[in-house]
Structures are given as structure tokens and as C-alpha cells.
Amino acid sequence: MAIVTLKGNTINTLGELPTIGSSAPNFNLTKTDLSPSTLANYIGKKVVLNIFPSIDTGTCAQSVRQFNKEASELNNTVVLCVSKDLPFAQARFCGAEGIDKVEMLSDFREGSFGKSYGLEFTDGPLQSLHSRAVVVIDEKGQVVYNELVPEIVDEPNYKAALEALLHA
């Protein structure tokens, strides 16, 4: 179990993020067109998982905007933005914001992503949503970077995540 805070109040997660050097857990998520997406779809590419509680919060929305901006300059890399938001809400946000360089994926069906990545909240006002985190995976499916953001209202360390891609 990991501990993060929401405006200074402690919240627990189900477990820990996958460790650097380990194989990234597979996932079954849903795209905005309601089609399935798994980690196997991205083998051979570098993957940035931008994980957050809800697209309808300022920090979560900003992380998607920032990674969308950065993604246009990345070679052989896909940025996947993962939350439990409905695919319809994700698509609405991307359309309104002109977001077109990242892929939005929803964990609304199975909810297994948050469990297998150890970042589902087990208590607090955001219980069962995902904690804010970034996981970078290399072309072979190995975790090369992870960050569990300690204060949920804070943004992730974009620079560190993007630098990890250069060494992946």
C-alpha cells in the first residue's frame, strides 16, 4: 500500500506501482470509440501512461494538455491517458480542447487497471478512482520510470518522465 495526500489529507492506495525493470502488467481498457485496448497493442513502441482520477479536474486536465503538447515531439512513443471516466466524457474533453496527440483510455468496465498497477484508492473521498501517476514502458514492455505523485492536486514531473524515454 502506498500513501498519498489530497490537500494534506492522507489517502491509501491498494498497492505499489510496478517497479522499474519489471514487466508492465497487461491491461484491458476502453478507447473513446468503445473498442478494447491492451498493452499488447503497443509492444514495439515506448508508452507513457498518464494516470489520474478524473478528466473533470483542473490538474488532470492540465496533465493531458501537457502530455498532448509534448507527444508531438516524441518518436515511436504513444501517450495513454488513463482514468475511470466514461469514454464519452474523455472524447468530449478532447474535442473541446483540441487534444489529438494522446490516446484516452477508460478503466470503467473492469476496473482492473487500478488494481494491477497498485494505484486504486482504498479510502477517502476518491475511493475506487486512480491515484495520479506516470509509468513509462519501453518497447519490450519493461517499466523504465514510475512516479506516484505524493499530493493528488500536484502535477506529475513531466520532465523526468520524458527524460526516461530518452534512455529507454
Side-chain angles (χ1 to χ4, degrees):
M1 165 175 55
I3 298 172
V4 296
T5 58
L6 173 60
K7 298 181 180 179
N9 297 307
T10 300
I11 301 178
N12 297 291
T13 67
L14 186 64
E16 303 285 335
L17 286 174
T19 58
I20 294 172
S22 69
S23 292
N26 193 25
F27 52 74
N28 292 303
L29 297 169
T30 304
K31 295 181 181 184
T32 57
D33 66 2
L34 301 180
S35 65
S37 182
T38 68
L39 182 58
N41 297 128
Y42 306 100
I43 296 299
K45 291 188 177 213
K46 296 176 185 176
V47 175
V48 177
L49 296 173
N50 175 35
I51 309 155
F52 50 86
S54 175
I55 194 63
D56 288 322
T57 67
T59 305
C60 300
Q62 181 55 34
S63 72
V64 173
R65 288 184 200 105
Q66 185 65 36
F67 275 118
N68 187 67
K69 178 181 171 187
E70 302 288 346
S72 64
E73 300 176 17
L74 304 174
N75 293 322
N76 195 39
T77 302
V78 62
V79 177
L80 307 177
C81 297
V82 182
S83 69
K84 282 194 172 179
D85 291 299
L86 291 176
F88 312 113
Q90 294 174 332
R92 173 187 39 80
F93 172 81
C94 290
E97 295 278 335
I99 303 292
D100 61 356
K101 306 285 189 286
V102 299
E103 288 185 44
M104 301 296 286
L105 298 175
S106 176
D107 192 23
F108 86 105
R109 284 197 170 132
E110 292 183 24
S112 60
F113 178 88
K115 291 175 178 61
S116 63
Y117 277 75
L119 47 76
E120 181 176 300
F121 290 124
T122 60
D123 57 14
L126 301 177
Q127 185 173 353
S128 83
L129 295 179
H130 300 149
S131 187
R132 185 174 320 287
V134 175
V135 176
V136 177
I137 304 166
D138 69 13
E139 296 97 326
K140 297 175 185 172
Q142 300 295 303
V143 175
V144 296
Y145 175 83
N146 65 25
E147 175 192 11
L148 181 64
V149 179
E151 170 57 54
I152 298 165
V153 300
D154 292 342
E155 293 181 55
N157 186 339
Y158 304 109
K159 183 179 178 183
L162 296 170
E163 285 179 3
L165 288 169
L166 299 175
H167 306 293

